[in-house]
């Protein structure tokens, strides 16, 4: 029987690991990473200070922005999910250098992390900054944000929890708004795209888009 391959929202690039990143992956993972498992996570097992808000970030890239946000919002615990090893190694180093206590990492497909590990009604927020745009029409099906994905996350967010997505592709921004349309549980925070919230520094990918003359859209929905 042929096995149907799931459509993934990423391609695992053979990005070169620096020596510093590969040492981090070897030496820091045990303390700073949460292994992927097909069982629900108990956040209290992994964060030093429990009972804080929990925010999940999907696709943090190199993670410098993620570290910066965690350093600023000390009253929130952050769980960053990424598949790309150089980014994971880089963020491990940031966490270690800055002694960040409220940020931990899972290196795995975020869709499966949501399916297997994240309990229902457990997240205060989800950050997705500059998801891969998959801008060719034939690749649109690989976009992370789809109605089926939003249906999945709506159960993971607490009441009044939010999802904040930023993109520099207008077509994807409109696609995102459209994908939320059929879901009654989400309210757009403003009637239009809104300005970047103060807690979000520019990301690496964003700066590249800005250099190419792209506009940036921040979209925020609240779960009712
Ligand atoms: C365009 S990059 C943006 C990175 C970063 N947020 C930034 O703005 O610089 C998108 C990232 O999402 C990651 N990604 C895409 N789909 C993912 C998934 N299903 N699970 C985990 N990471 C994913 C990719 O590996 C990539 O690093």
């Amino acid at each position: 029987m042929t096995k149907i391959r799931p459509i993934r929202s990423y391609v695992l690039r053979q990005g070169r690991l620096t020596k510093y990143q590969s040492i981090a992956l070897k030496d820091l993972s045990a303390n700073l990473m949460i292994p992927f498992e097909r069982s629900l996570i108990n956040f209290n097992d992994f964060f030093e200070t429990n009972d804080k808000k929990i925010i999940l970030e999907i696709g943090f890239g190199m993670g410098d922005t993620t570290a910066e946000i965690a350093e600023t919002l000390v009253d929130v615990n952050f769980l960053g999910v990424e598949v790309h090893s150089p980014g994971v190694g880089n963020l491990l180093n940031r966490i270690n250098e800055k002694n960040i206590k409220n940020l931990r990492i899972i290196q795995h497909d975020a869709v499966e992390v949501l399916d297997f590990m994240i309990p229902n009604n457990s997240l205060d927020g989800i950050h997705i900054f500059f998801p891969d745009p998959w801008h060719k029409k034939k690749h649109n099906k690989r976009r992370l944000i789809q109605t089926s994905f939003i249906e999945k996350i709506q159960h993971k967010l607490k009441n009044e929890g939010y999802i904040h997505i930023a993109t520099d592709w207008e077509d994807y921004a409109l696609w995102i708004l459209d994908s939320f349309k059929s879901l009654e549980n989400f309210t757009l925070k403003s009637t239009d795209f809104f300005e970047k919230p103060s807690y979000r520094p520019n990301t690496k990918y964003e700066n590249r888009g800005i250099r190419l003359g792209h506009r940036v859209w921040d979209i925020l929905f609240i779960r009712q």
Side-chain angles (χ1 to χ4, degrees), residues 8-13 57-63 65-66 81-84 106 108-112 128-134 142 144 200 202-206 208:
R8 305 262 187 222
S9 58
Y10 58 87
V11 174
L12 270 186
R13 287 158 283 143
E57 179 172 351
I58 298 176
F60 55 72
M62 294 310 282
T65 308
T66 310
V81 181
E82 174 61 66
V83 287
H84 188 51
I106 301 178
H108 197 78
D109 182 347
V111 175
E112 292 199 352
I128 307 177
F129 300 147
F130 305 91
D132 297 285
W134 294 111
R142 301 192 68 158
L144 179 66
R200 186 177 75 68
N202 279 21
T203 75
K204 189 171 177 210
Y205 190 86
E206 174 176 19
R208 200 168 61 182

Side-chain angles (χ1 to χ4, degrees), residues 35-223:
F36 173 75
E37 281 182 19
R38 286 171 189 259
S39 59
L40 289 178
I41 190 173
N42 181 354
F43 295 116
N44 293 345
D45 293 343
F46 298 100
F47 289 102
E48 287 185 14
T49 317
N50 305 325
D51 307 323
K52 288 184 178 181
K53 287 185 173 175
I54 296 269
I55 291 181
L56 172 75
E57 179 172 351
I58 298 176
F60 55 72
M62 294 310 282
D64 294 311
T65 308
T66 310
E68 226 178 290
I69 296 175
E71 269 192 297
T72 311
L73 302 181
V74 285
D75 290 330
V76 178
N77 283 330
F78 288 89
L79 180 61
V81 181
E82 174 61 66
V83 287
H84 188 51
S85 294
V88 173
N90 185 65
L91 183 54
L92 284 170
N93 280 323
R94 292 290 100 79
I95 297 173
N96 189 44
E97 291 154 5
K98 298 176 174 191
N99 196 20
I100 299 173
K101 305 278 187 210
N102 59 330
L103 170 57
R104 294 294 176 260
I105 300 173
I106 301 178
Q107 184 174 13
H108 197 78
D109 182 347
V111 175
E112 292 199 352
V113 170
L114 283 160
D115 279 340
F116 293 106
M117 297 184 76
I118 306 294
N120 285 347
N121 299 308
S122 67
L123 300 175
D124 294 277
I126 299 177
H127 292 172
I128 307 177
F129 300 147
F130 305 91
D132 297 285
W134 294 111
H135 52 83
K136 287 188 185 151
K137 203 136 202 83
K138 65 174 180 183
H139 289 150
N140 282 178
K141 58 178 180 295
R142 301 192 68 158
R143 286 178 166 171
L144 179 66
I145 317 294
Q146 310 271 349
T147 301
S148 56
F149 174 79
I150 302 164
E151 276 166 356
K152 199 187 294 291
I153 59 167
Q154 73 177 343
H155 303 295
K156 306 300 175 184
L157 282 169
K158 292 179 186 166
N159 230 357
E160 300 293 317
Y162 70 87
I163 174 160
H164 176 184
I165 307 168
T167 181
D168 63 338
W169 283 88
E170 182 170 13
D171 172 64
Y172 200 4
L174 295 171
W175 165 290
I176 291 164
L177 289 177
D178 207 46
S179 306
F180 274 88
K181 251 192 196 133
S182 61
L183 293 156
E184 290 172 359
N185 284 353
F186 284 99
T187 312
L188 189 58
K189 179 81 184 286
S190 67
T191 50
D192 205 343
F193 307 115
F194 67 96
E195 293 298 312
K196 180 171 92 154
S198 56
Y199 61 76
R200 186 177 75 68
N202 279 21
T203 75
K204 189 171 177 210
Y205 190 86
E206 174 176 19
N207 285 336
R208 200 168 61 182
I210 290 171
R211 281 198 297 277
L212 294 170
H214 295 181
R215 245 189 92 184
V216 170
W217 289 268
D218 279 86
I219 302 169
L220 195 131
F221 280 90
I222 309 285
R223 199 213 126 168

Side-chain angles (χ1 to χ4, degrees), residues 12-27:
L12 270 186
R13 287 158 283 143
Q14 288 300 335
R16 251 176 302 131
L17 276 174
T18 65
K19 196 166 174 204
Y20 194 40
Q21 288 161 359
S22 92
I23 292 171
L25 287 165
K26 193 160 75 60
D27 293 348

